Amino acid sequence: MDSRLNHSTKVIRGAGVSDGVAVAKVLVLERERIVIRHRIIPREKVPEEVARFREAHQRAARSLTEIKEAMIGASSREPAFIIDAHLMMLEDDLLIEGVIELIESEMINAEWAIRKKVTELMAVFSRLSDEYLRERGKDVEQVAERVVRELVGKTEDNVNLGDGPVIVVARELTPAETAHMALENVVGFATEIGSPTSHAAIVAKSLRIPAVVGLKNLTREAGQGDVAVIDGHSGLIILNPSPETIDEYESRRKWLSELRLVLKRYKDLPAETEDGRRIKLAANLEILEELAFLPDSGAEGVGLYRTEFIYLDHKGLPSEEEQIENYERLIKAVHPHGATIRTLDIGGDKFKSDLTVTNEQNPAMGLRSIRLCLNRPSLFKTQLRAILRASASGKTRVMFPMISGHEEFLQARELLAESMDELDKEGRAFDRDLEVGLMIEVPSAAIIAPQLAKVADFFSIGTNDLIQYTLAIDRMNEHVTYLYEPLHPAVLRIIKSVVDAGHEAGIPVTMCGAMAADSASLPVLVGLGLDELSMPMGSMLMLKKILRGINGREARTLVEELFQYNLAREIRNRVKREIRTRWAEAYALELEAFEIETAAG
Ligand code: PEP
Ligand code: MG
């Protein structure tokens, strides 16, 4: 036990879903479940009860719309789209008509009918095997609970937060609550329930507020007004920390905000090595709301737009027009840099009931991604047409994920050519020269990279999947996380062969998996000759700073040497040694951040 912890100190570990640290008083949000009674409604009063429900339903929709508008008005960066998703659920006939039917057929009060309907719907959701859909089940419950609160006159979006900064502690938070409180003095979120894919987590991340989820017994352990430390990086909350721990975290928090200022100086400096080799740094993007951070991120455009989030947050499928609007917003925002739009990569760990097969034994190797798109050409062509039409508004690249062989890439290109022909006939504008690339995520594609390079305009290495398939490690399985090693000799060899194949054919090679943002791998990636690295915006300025201190020639020599080692450990130690001796200055800030973290953790 850490000697710095006093007797009432409690450390609870969960999953960090949004980086950063904060020290503040705890505000426990005990959203007590409203107790409702079952009432039988006399037959002649049933229409009145239905009207009562409809009115409460309208009030709930109005209040959600107001929250959404307040968010848009207060700042352009809040993900108002999530409130839209809740509004859509609220408007869903399955819910509205289902409740009315229950009121009428069972002659029961509206509150009871809502709870009954939601219990039915939740049972359906809870039987689904994937986490993302189960989360959506909770959204339905939260939305319906709004109507119950309207019916009993207990609405409470405006939580009284007091004066000072607070860390909000709750069993779970609705996206609306998260977004609303973010406008106030909330410096952290900690919840018992939730996952990195839950919408509240996405909101926190996009608002850059530290957040930790999956904290067992949190609301029981945390007392109202207790002082707490939240560490979004390590995924923990410390309740009643000792003065020493508070001091450490306070200085870390200050240090991190100073660090942000220091790093800002690198925003407009070129991303190049000490000896002048340019490596383009671009951003990975999941939702358009993140674009608000783009101007300060130092990114030269977007290197990976994960379009599946448009589908995941849409009731039904997004139309061509809706997608055009989305892509155009992106393309215009990144101008004069380009945007690389990745076509739908759904399946694996991202599910949507009306799109993906839900009973696969091994979804990571199932009908996912490009396979699913080629299986459903009309779905795919809607997206291709939308990307093409949006390309008329600025520099756009399109890239296909999970390509495992020549056939898939050629089929995808053929559908793209068909879409171009259609648009030609319709007289619609698009960029005829838009570049078409593919992601190298499957070892078979890496092996035939020299052949693929002849038919592609660029490669983008998706290391998250490439490592998963090369080392046979399920990226979602925490039991084998320890085996997930980007500096494994097999991974280095496979990356080298892809980069060499690309360069041999004269096409650029990008990396857009998490390895691209791993500072310890950076000298290796420089030495291997990657042309572009695409990463989450939050990591970019630190990476740029380090890159500017690394000598490209020395990095190449280092990589040559690394190929002599058989053990990943030897490779990692060798790179570390180089970092500490040769590039200590480039890494100084990062090492300092790391040391503060170990001292406090
Ligand atoms: C990857 O696999 O590295 C990648 C960037 O794609 P995703 O993480 O979306 O699967
Ligand atoms: Mg991938």
Side-chain angles (χ1 to χ4, degrees):
M1 187 90 179
D2 191 326
S3 62
R4 291 165 300 179
L5 305 181
N6 65 40
H7 70 281
S8 58
T9 296
K10 266 240 147 64
V11 181
I12 310 179
R13 288 181 188 276
V17 293
S18 178
D19 262 356
V21 299
V23 182
K25 284 195 175 153
V26 158
L27 178 87
V28 185
L29 275 190
E30 272 159 336
R31 260 179 148 274
E32 99 283 19
R33 198 167 151 82
I34 293 170
V35 179
I36 55 170
R37 283 188 308 118
H38 176 265
R39 279 189 293 122
I40 294 290
I41 306 291
R43 186 169 298 281
E44 69 279 10
K45 296 261 175 160
V46 165
E48 237 174 78
E49 192 62 12
V50 171
R52 203 178 138 251
F53 165 68
R54 284 198 189 277
E55 279 160 25
H57 176 270
Q58 273 166 15
R59 284 199 302 278
R62 249 196 323 271
S63 86
L64 265 182
T65 311
E66 277 164 19
I67 294 173
K68 186 181 124 189
E69 278 161 8
M71 282 160 56
I72 294 168
S75 153
S76 61
R77 66 199 175 110
E78 282 77 18
F81 80 102
I82 285 171
I83 310 291
D84 270 334
H86 269 198
L87 270 167
M88 270 184 321
M89 279 180 200
L90 197 58
E91 302 298 348
D92 199 314
D93 281 349
L94 208 64
L95 184 68
I96 302 175
E97 298 307 323
V99 170
I100 293 175
E101 199 191 314
L102 281 174
I103 299 175
E104 288 175 343
S105 63
E106 299 191 9
M107 295 194 296
I108 49 173
N109 53 325
E111 296 89 329
W112 201 264
I114 293 172
R115 286 266 171 91
K116 190 163 180 190
K117 188 71 214 167
V118 168
T119 308
E120 268 174 48
L121 293 173
M122 291 283 288
V124 175
F125 276 103
S126 69
R127 280 197 295 273
L128 301 174
S129 60
D130 65 277
E131 191 186 345
Y132 189 85
L133 277 185
R134 279 202 303 274
E135 290 285 342
R136 302 290 76 77
K138 289 202 201 87
D139 287 344
V140 174
E141 188 185 29
Q142 292 167 356
V143 157
E145 208 51 23
R146 271 184 179 277
V147 188
V148 171
R149 284 174 183 275
E150 289 289 347
L151 282 164
V152 299
K154 276 198 175 184
T155 51
E156 47 154 60
D157 270 319
N158 286 304
V159 179
N160 181 7
L161 299 170
D163 292 332
V166 290
I167 294 169
V168 168
V169 159
R171 230 178 91 64
E172 64 181 317
L173 286 170
T174 65
E177 284 167 335
T178 316
H180 186 87
M181 284 183 295
L183 302 175
E184 315 271 348
N185 42 352
V186 175
V187 293
F189 294 107
T191 62
E192 289 183 3
I193 296 173
S195 73
T197 50
S198 68
H199 275 147
I202 296 176
V203 175
K205 198 168 176 176
S206 136
L207 299 173
R208 308 216 160 168
I209 294 173
V212 183
V213 300
L215 295 157
K216 277 204 187 103
N217 301 326
L218 174 67
T219 53
R220 209 172 60 212
E221 300 285 354
Q224 201 69 271
D226 280 357
V227 172
V229 161
I230 183 165
D231 181 342
H233 180 75
S234 311
L236 55 85
I237 187 166
I238 307 173
L239 299 168
N240 300 311
S242 69
E244 292 83 356
T245 305
I246 292 179
D247 282 351
E248 281 173 27
Y249 269 96
E250 262 305 337
S251 56
R252 174 143 184 251
R253 189 187 58 75
K254 280 203 198 105
W255 191 85
L256 285 174
S257 58
E258 277 160 27
L259 175 67
R260 229 166 275 148
L261 288 179
V262 172
L263 289 176
K264 226 171 159 176
R265 287 193 232 126
Y266 289 82
K267 179 168 80 75
D268 299 316
L269 296 177
E272 61 187 15
T273 57
E274 192 191 48
D275 48 343
R277 212 192 115 210
R278 290 275 284 134
I279 295 185
K280 191 170 155 192
L281 300 185
N284 288 356
L285 207 80
E286 283 77 38
I287 52 175
L288 289 188
E289 282 68 18
E290 290 175 82
L291 283 175
F293 299 105
L294 194 75
D296 280 339
S297 70
E300 299 171 70
V302 164
L304 166 66
Y305 182 36
R306 291 181 159 107
T307 59
E308 50 277 10
F309 282 86
I310 306 172
Y311 291 73
L312 289 171
D313 283 307
H314 201 280
K315 185 181 153 198
L317 297 173
S319 67
E320 185 174 319
E321 300 297 330
E322 282 167 321
Q323 290 189 60
I324 293 171
E325 198 188 317
N326 187 294
Y327 303 146
E328 276 184 354
R329 261 181 73 194
L330 165 74
I331 294 163
K332 286 179 184 159
V334 303
H335 181 80
H337 305 294
T340 303
I341 301 180
R342 173 175 81 181
T343 59
L344 180 63
D345 184 10
I346 211 152
D349 61 330
K350 302 173 204 128
F351 291 88
K352 185 172 167 73
S353 61
D354 44 359
L355 265 183
T356 38
V357 188
T358 48
N359 57 354
E360 289 180 314
Q361 285 282 338
N362 192 346
M365 295 196 190
L367 188 64
R368 60 170 287 206
S369 198
I370 194 73
R371 303 167 182 181
L372 187 127
C373 288
L374 294 175
N375 209 258
R376 298 190 53 178
S378 74
L379 164 92
F380 194 29
K381 270 175 72 177
T382 303
Q383 181 174 40
L384 295 176
R385 284 174 55 99
I387 296 172
L388 283 170
R389 288 177 61 188
S391 73
S393 61
K395 191 166 172 4
T396 310
R397 307 204 293 180
V398 63
M399 105 180 151
F400 302 121
M402 276 284 292
I403 294 289
S404 64
H406 232 75
E407 295 86 344
E408 279 168 346
F409 186 63
L410 294 183
Q411 274 175 47
R413 281 206 86 141
E414 217 169 281
L415 288 171
L416 188 71
E418 257 177 45
S419 308
M420 284 184 174
D421 286 347
E422 283 172 16
L423 294 178
D424 259 341
K425 286 201 188 95
E426 294 163 23
R428 297 188 195 275
F430 62 90
D431 176 8
R432 199 168 294 279
D433 300 320
L434 111 159
E435 289 174 21
V436 186
L438 63 99
M439 288 187 73
I440 303 278
E441 306 188 271
V442 183
S444 57
I447 292 166
I448 58 163
Q451 286 74 38
L452 286 171
K454 292 191 184 123
V455 288
D457 296 321
F458 64 93
F459 283 157
S460 188
I461 305 177
T463 49
N464 305 340
D465 279 314
L466 185 62
I467 296 173
Q468 153 164 274
Y469 298 123
T470 303
L471 303 183
I473 297 158
D474 179 353
R475 69 193 255 197
M476 305 294 287
N477 183 342
E478 74 272 20
H479 302 295
V480 287
T481 312
Y482 74 101
L483 291 170
Y484 201 91
E485 174 52 270
L487 296 183
H488 189 291
V491 176
L492 295 193
R493 277 175 171 75
I494 210 162
I495 295 173
K496 183 176 179 347
S497 68
V498 173
V499 175
D500 291 350
H503 289 172
E504 186 86 4
I507 63 167
V509 183
T510 294
M511 178 176 286
C512 63
M515 187 179 183
D518 175 28
S519 58
S521 300
L522 186 60
V524 183
L525 302 182
V526 171
L528 286 169
L530 269 300
D531 302 291
E532 177 179 329
L533 302 174
S534 191
M535 64 190 75
M537 279 185 261
S539 316
M540 199 167 304
L541 289 177
M542 180 66 96
L543 262 284
K544 196 198 266 193
K545 186 202 174 303
I546 296 173
L547 176 70
R548 290 176 56 82
I550 292 177
N551 183 290
R553 235 174 318 105
E554 288 172 1
R556 244 191 329 273
T557 314
L558 169 68
V559 164
E560 277 161 24
E561 196 190 312
L562 295 181
F563 283 103
Q564 300 166 10
Y565 298 114
N566 294 325
L567 304 179
R569 186 165 31 86
E570 289 172 320
I571 296 179
R572 196 161 272 284
N573 287 341
R574 180 70 191 88
V575 177
K576 261 194 197 156
R577 200 163 73 234
E578 203 73 2
I579 286 174
R580 290 198 186 269
T581 53
R582 207 183 281 273
W583 299 311
E585 207 183 311
Y587 279 87
L589 277 177
E590 227 222 11
L591 291 174
E592 201 177 328
F594 180 69
E595 254 140 43
I596 289 175
E597 186 186 341
T598 34

